[in-house]
Amino acid sequence: MRAVVGSAGRADDADEIEIRIAAPVPRVYRVLAADVRQVLAGYPAVLYSVEGEPVGDVATSASGRVLLGASRAGLGFVLDNEACQAGAAAWMVVRDHFRAHYYRHDGPVEVLEAD
């Protein structure tokens, strides 16, 4: 079984998605309210820090069943004038389960580690 590394839900102060990762390094990511519908429909979006900096990406798995999150170095895949790749998926959330909880406003779901 995969380890639980955090939680994901609707942000308390907005319609944004908030992903709280507790391990191995505590982090909080957000998907902007304008991007929530596309993420829940299975399209990719940028993950932002709570300060508003782009820090990662969220995308749907090939099967469409899970949302995969990965950190990235640099804004727009560019760091010090060189292209950089998104990191390997670090965490995942079952998309349909998360979508149901998001629309019901009934609390966060578990975020699991990805391989």
Side-chain angles (χ1 to χ4, degrees):
M1 184 165 167
R2 297 178 189 274
V4 175
V5 295
S7 63
R10 185 185 289 260
D12 292 335
D13 58 349
D15 288 338
E16 296 176 339
I17 294 172
E18 186 171 87
I19 299 109
R20 294 184 168 276
I21 304 298
V25 178
R27 296 219 166 99
V28 177
Y29 300 110
R30 287 201 171 196
V31 174
L32 300 179
D35 296 335
V36 168
R37 284 184 186 256
Q38 76 180 32
V39 168
L40 296 180
Y43 295 96
V46 175
L47 291 170
Y48 292 89
S49 68
V50 292
E51 293 82 21
E53 296 294 322
V55 293
D57 299 283
V58 61
T60 305
S61 65
S63 70
R65 293 183 179 156
V66 296
L67 297 174
L68 300 168
S71 297
R72 71 178 181 191
L75 176 61
F77 296 95
V78 175
L79 181 63
D80 297 329
N81 295 323
E82 292 185 29
C84 58
Q85 299 295 316
W91 53 264
M92 64 184 207
V93 176
V94 178
R95 189 169 61 90
D96 287 342
H97 180 69
F98 176 72
R99 182 175 51 211
H101 283 275
Y102 177 86
Y103 284 124
R104 287 192 311 245
H105 300 260
D106 67 351
V109 299
E110 293 179 335
V111 174
L112 305 173
E113 73 178 338
D115 293 318

